[in-house]
Amino acid sequence: SDILRQSYCIRELSFHHLVKLWGDTAASGLGGPVVLSPPSDISEARQATRATTGEVYAQILSDLGDAETRIGSSTDAHRVTLMGIHALRARVFLYQKNYAGAETEAETVAGGGFSLASAYGDLFTAEGDDTPEDIFRLHFDAVDYCWEGYYCLPYEVQGRGEIEPSLDLIQAYSPGYNGSPATFVTADERGLWNITFFDPLNGASVYGSKWRTGIGAEDIHVFRFAEL
């Protein structure tokens, strides 16, 4: 069923996040727990133990194969599609250092009719508008909200300003940046969109402006064509 194949893919995406963040890179090292059915209570949940990294990846690839056999012909990027499965498998192979496998999966996606957005900012509109890059994106609106932008934008532009770009990130776009807005010089379209300076009460500050909305309706890409 559609619900089952979506569940397989989301579970394996979660397993992959788990193992790449906390697992050993060696296949024989400790990865993360592989829990395949809901525990009956907290006591049972507490008994979960860590599988090896190799076992976690084996489960991921097995479930992706199962999901692929159940997938339909939908191209709705707000749900997991066949191209979404190939994109996740490419990412998994990349972390396993199976570069040939990653390339094969990426080439499959490349043949799926995707193309780059005409402008970088088109990917991060306030209402989450679709783009030709979308492989799988999480959809939000002002009721079922995300608020990725809300925590980056300052109070003056409908946000909380709790998260701001690090110095390393800013200098990745503009190596000569020294804290002064005048020294932020870049021709990188991503930097010009993602980093914004403002002058609250004459004290210059910086914020991340990738999602320029505080209402929470922005969408979040899980996979987009530029990654592949």
Side-chain angles (χ1 to χ4, degrees), residues 156-179:
E156 289 79 2
V157 284
Q158 300 181 321
R160 289 183 58 155
E162 294 183 3
I163 303 172
E164 66 179 49
S166 67
L167 179 61
D168 285 344
L169 177 61
I170 299 173
Q171 289 182 335
Y173 293 123
S174 176
Y177 175 74
N178 64 10

Side-chain angles (χ1 to χ4, degrees), residues 146-211:
C146 168
W147 283 7
E148 194 77 23
Y150 177 70
Y151 286 98
C152 296
L153 300 177
Y155 176 78
E156 289 79 2
V157 284
Q158 300 181 321
R160 289 183 58 155
E162 294 183 3
I163 303 172
E164 66 179 49
S166 67
L167 179 61
D168 285 344
L169 177 61
I170 299 173
Q171 289 182 335
Y173 293 123
S174 176
Y177 175 74
N178 64 10
S180 168
T183 63
F184 183 74
V185 179
T186 182
D188 191 313
E189 185 178 351
R190 298 166 300 175
L192 294 171
W193 179 268
N194 293 340
I195 309 297
T196 296
F197 295 88
F198 70 118
D199 189 15
L201 302 179
N202 299 315
S205 187
V206 61
Y207 65 90
S209 51
K210 177 179 283 187
W211 290 281

Side-chain angles (χ1 to χ4, degrees), residues 14-199:
S14 300
F15 279 168
H16 186 228
H17 287 321
L18 188 69
V19 75
K20 76 180 182 181
L21 289 172
W22 290 288
D24 196 295
T25 55
S28 59
L30 285 178
V34 177
V35 178
L36 304 180
S37 58
S40 58
D41 53 33
I42 294 176
S43 177
E44 183 180 339
R46 189 182 297 123
Q47 296 173 17
T49 59
R50 294 171 69 180
T52 66
T53 294
E55 289 169 338
V56 176
Y57 276 126
Q59 184 64 48
I60 291 172
L61 294 172
S62 174
D63 277 357
L64 287 181
D66 198 343
E68 187 173 356
T69 65
R70 301 169 186 267
I71 209 73
S73 58
S74 172
T75 58
D76 180 4
H78 297 135
R79 307 181 68 80
V80 178
T81 64
L82 179 60
M83 291 298 105
I85 291 175
H86 285 297
L88 177 52
R89 193 181 283 125
R91 186 182 288 180
V92 168
F93 282 157
L94 183 66
Y95 275 83
Q96 287 187 297
K97 299 184 180 180
N98 177 359
Y99 301 125
E103 183 177 10
T104 296
E105 296 296 321
E107 287 178 345
T108 298
V109 178
F114 302 98
S115 60
L116 298 179
S118 58
Y120 179 74
D122 292 346
L123 297 160
F124 309 104
T125 58
E127 297 296 333
D129 299 311
D130 292 343
T131 79
E133 283 199 38
D134 304 340
I135 299 172
F136 179 38
R137 62 189 295 164
L138 302 181
H139 177 67
F140 297 92
D141 56 39
V143 177
D144 298 313
Y145 47 80
C146 168
W147 283 7
E148 194 77 23
Y150 177 70
Y151 286 98
C152 296
L153 300 177
Y155 176 78
E156 289 79 2
V157 284
Q158 300 181 321
R160 289 183 58 155
E162 294 183 3
I163 303 172
E164 66 179 49
S166 67
L167 179 61
D168 285 344
L169 177 61
I170 299 173
Q171 289 182 335
Y173 293 123
S174 176
Y177 175 74
N178 64 10
S180 168
T183 63
F184 183 74
V185 179
T186 182
D188 191 313
E189 185 178 351
R190 298 166 300 175
L192 294 171
W193 179 268
N194 293 340
I195 309 297
T196 296
F197 295 88
F198 70 118
D199 189 15

